[in-house]
Amino acid sequence: MPSVVKINVLTVPAEQREVLEKRFAARAGSVDSSDGFEWFELLRPVEGTDQYLVYTRWRDEESFQAWMEGPMKAAHQQGGGAAEGGERPKPAASGSTLWSFEVVQQAGPKQG
């Protein structure tokens, strides 16, 4: 069965880029131990767009859904470190779209 890829497209204003990257760095490792998790990358835009891509690859759709309903939900409900006074920090992204794909071909470097 092919792996599934989820790409979360985050629209991030220039002044929020550092905030977004720091939040992801602080949560590093929160997905690594999830059953069925295969790969993660946070892709910073270089030119022509203000959209970051959050790339994750999963063994199957069920693994992704289990993570969304468990660890992911819990992390977001905690607010990733609430500000003083218990207020949740405002999101660094002004918009979010989730793309879903199945891996039909893949390649890595040839081992020589």
Side-chain angles (χ1 to χ4, degrees), residues 1-5 55 57 101-108:
M1 188 156 77
S3 296
V4 295
V5 168
Y55 174 104
R57 191 176 72 210
F101 299 89
E102 284 186 343
V103 177
V104 290
Q105 291 183 25
Q106 60 184 17

Side-chain angles (χ1 to χ4, degrees), residues 32-86:
D32 304 18
S33 57
S34 296
D35 184 51
F37 168 78
E38 295 179 353
W39 197 255
F40 161 85
E41 289 175 330
L42 175 62
L43 306 177
R44 177 195 298 138
V46 176
E47 58 188 344
T49 184
D50 58 356
Q51 293 182 316
Y52 276 72
L53 300 182
V54 183
Y55 174 104
T56 56
R57 191 176 72 210
W58 300 85
R59 179 180 60 225
D60 50 33
E61 181 67 25
E62 292 72 25
S63 299
F64 171 73
Q65 293 298 336
W67 175 72
M68 284 286 286
E69 287 303 310
M72 162 83 162
K73 205 175 204 176
H76 279 81
Q77 283 171 346
Q78 290 166 6
E84 285 181 36

Side-chain angles (χ1 to χ4, degrees), residues 3-4 10 14 16 18 23 25 27-28 31 36 47-48 50-51 56 64 70 79 83 86-89 99 101:
S3 296
V4 295
L10 302 177
Q16 289 291 322
E18 195 175 339
R23 286 183 186 167
R27 281 207 298 261
V31 71
E47 58 188 344
D50 58 356
Q51 293 182 316
T56 56
F64 171 73
E87 288 182 36
R88 291 180 58 176
W99 294 342
F101 299 89

